[in-house]
Amino acid sequence: RGLFLDYVKQSFSPKTRMMVNSTSSYFILRTLKYFYFMLTAVLYIVIVITNTSLIVVICKNRSLHEPMYLFLCSLFVNELYGSTGLFPFLLVQILSDIHTVSASLCFLQIFCLYTYANVEFSNLAVMSYDRYLAICYPLQYNTRMTTNKAFILIIVVWLYCCVRFLITLSLNIRLTLCGNTINSLYCDNYIVVKLACSDIKVNNIYGLFSISLSILVPLVLILFSYMRILKVCFSGSKQTRQKAVSTCTPHLTSLLNFSFGCCFEILQSRFDMTSVPSVLCIILSLYFVIIQPLLNPVMYGLQMSKIRVYSFSAAARLTGRIVL
């Protein structure tokens, strides 16, 4: 808009030709803005459709009301939750000429994204324990991991993550901020804390304690589960190894992918990344909340035979109704 106004003011000056080029650049920038908006909107729609479809498939088919699929349902719900914490905000910012956000909405986004990350990692840890029971104790699995126990674990994971981060958020809200510029595509907890001009010693101490709980507790459970699974695989039959590979491959892929995205985001917010290309920084900063919600439905939808069969049959029925 500024370039266009300058062009109008200087339309009769000797620099008219140069300003025409600038105006062309302005329209190119407007086109790019709408292109990025459409790309982001399509990504969000795909995430919503794929994850919602699998949630519906699991909820509607009683044969899928088993612990493993209930944990998957919790995972897909979390993908929707995390994506909704980012994409609507991002879409508004792409179209806006002035990139501002109120403090309350900023803290709300921080809560959504951080609880999403905590629930994701904790959910994957519980799923690794579920796989350990299924592979190492197949005959006792139905008594050790019942549907009621699965529901309780899911509720505990969500409550634990939300309450723990509410404490972090309450410590941050009380801070007096001396700045209002965030060099990030979304509100980042650590960047907001760095804007404070009041004492942040308590925030740093609890922040380190909270991060330790977020990483160490699930990591210990994951390492324990997979060490026992590997032990059984090496000493077991070929059939046991095939079962372990088929059930653990999607989980390991999801776990490694999410860990990579979170590690980069933690490093990026705490170290100087000016030497890294800005486009790469943008892509990697959004990696954990874009690629994970896209990857999980594909991995579990294609690898888990029951989900694949029910998904294809549901799609066939829907297609048949549309054709009729």
Side-chain angles (χ1 to χ4, degrees), residues 176-182 191-192 194-197:
T176 303
L177 303 180
C178 294
N180 61 355
T181 304
I182 301 173
I191 294 175
V192 170
K194 287 198 297 184
L195 295 174
C197 49

Side-chain angles (χ1 to χ4, degrees), residues 264-300:
F264 182 83
E265 183 53 26
I266 292 170
L267 293 173
Q268 180 178 245
S269 62
R270 284 160 176 76
F271 295 99
D272 182 19
M273 303 296 288
T274 53
S275 58
V276 180
S278 58
V279 176
L280 182 62
C281 283
I282 290 171
I283 293 171
L284 291 176
S285 68
L286 297 174
Y287 187 94
F288 79 105
V289 77
I290 290 180
I291 303 301
Q292 189 74 359
L294 288 171
L295 177 70
N296 278 341
V298 174
M299 286 298 300
Y300 291 106

Side-chain angles (χ1 to χ4, degrees), residues 68-211:
M68 177 173 62
Y69 300 107
L70 294 177
F71 293 134
L72 281 177
C73 191
S74 173
L75 198 69
F76 298 142
V77 169
N78 192 46
E79 309 303 356
L80 290 176
Y81 170 67
S83 301
T84 304
L86 172 71
F87 279 97
F89 172 85
L90 200 59
L91 289 168
V92 170
Q93 292 298 315
I94 289 172
L95 289 181
S96 177
D97 292 325
I98 302 173
H99 305 295
T100 60
V101 61
S102 66
S104 57
L105 284 178
C106 187
F107 283 119
L108 177 62
Q109 187 181 46
I110 288 172
F111 177 79
C112 289
L113 292 181
Y114 277 76
T115 49
Y116 155 74
N118 288 330
V119 169
E120 187 82 3
F121 200 37
S122 299
N123 209 113
L124 289 170
V126 172
M127 288 173 68
S128 69
Y129 179 70
D130 176 69
R131 292 301 82 211
Y132 152 69
L133 291 179
I135 293 168
C136 299
Y137 300 98
L139 299 178
Q140 304 171 35
Y141 175 75
N142 290 330
T143 56
R144 292 194 175 207
M145 183 59 74
T146 62
T147 302
N148 289 335
K149 285 181 181 178
F151 274 120
I152 292 170
L153 283 171
I154 290 169
I155 293 169
V156 167
V157 163
W158 280 84
L159 285 178
Y160 164 74
C161 295
C162 290
V163 170
R164 189 164 50 75
F165 193 75
L166 271 176
I167 299 172
T168 303
L169 200 63
S170 63
L171 290 173
N172 294 347
I173 290 173
R174 70 179 181 82
L175 294 174
T176 303
L177 303 180
C178 294
N180 61 355
T181 304
I182 301 173
N183 294 317
S184 177
L185 287 172
Y186 54 87
C187 292
D188 183 277
N189 183 61
Y190 186 72
I191 294 175
V192 170
V193 170
K194 287 198 297 184
L195 295 174
C197 49
S198 54
D199 185 25
I200 60 171
K201 188 181 293 183
V202 175
N203 298 70
N204 287 335
I205 293 171
Y206 183 77
L208 290 172
F209 173 72
S210 181
I211 289 174

Side-chain angles (χ1 to χ4, degrees), residues 8-9 22 28 44 122 190 228-229 233 273 278 280 282:
V8 172
K9 290 176 183 178
S22 296
I28 290 170
Y44 183 46
S122 299
Y190 186 72
R228 298 301 297 269
I229 289 171
C233 288
M273 303 296 288
S278 58
L280 182 62
I282 290 171

